[in-house]
Amino acid sequence: MLIRLRVRRFFCGNPGCAAGTFAGQGGGVAGRLLRRSLPLLGLLAQIGLVPAGRAGARLAGVLGAPVHRTTLLRLVAALGEPGIGAAPEVTGVDDFALRKGRV
């Protein structure tokens, strides 16, 4: 699959600038030095969360984005830990009485 992306080129007017030209970013589609688009990386990370490993790699291949299982695991590890929500203010007696079929 080939995606043609048109970006703007900027020229530096400073004669001491080593780079000389700069390219604009893709605006949420492409990132710097990435082999996959940002939406595809998000999709692969979500695929890696549910089945992970080999099953996730097979699912991604069926969906048209073949990827290695370790890549899925690396994307999941890069997501980080989810935030911890607030603790409940009141804990009822029934929350502790569910043991041994007692209500």
Side-chain angles (χ1 to χ4, degrees), residues 21-91:
T21 62
F22 303 94
Q25 296 298 316
V29 176
R32 283 190 68 175
L33 306 174
L34 292 178
R35 292 177 176 249
R36 295 177 181 92
S37 67
L38 295 175
L40 179 60
L41 286 175
L43 175 69
L44 291 176
Q46 294 302 314
I47 289 173
L49 279 175
V50 179
R54 288 189 181 118
R58 282 194 304 267
L59 177 62
V62 169
L63 293 176
V67 67
H68 197 265
R69 60 189 168 107
T70 56
T71 302
L72 285 179
L73 296 175
R74 185 174 35 83
L75 289 172
V76 169
L79 288 176
E81 294 291 325
I84 298 174
E89 294 179 16
V90 178
T91 303

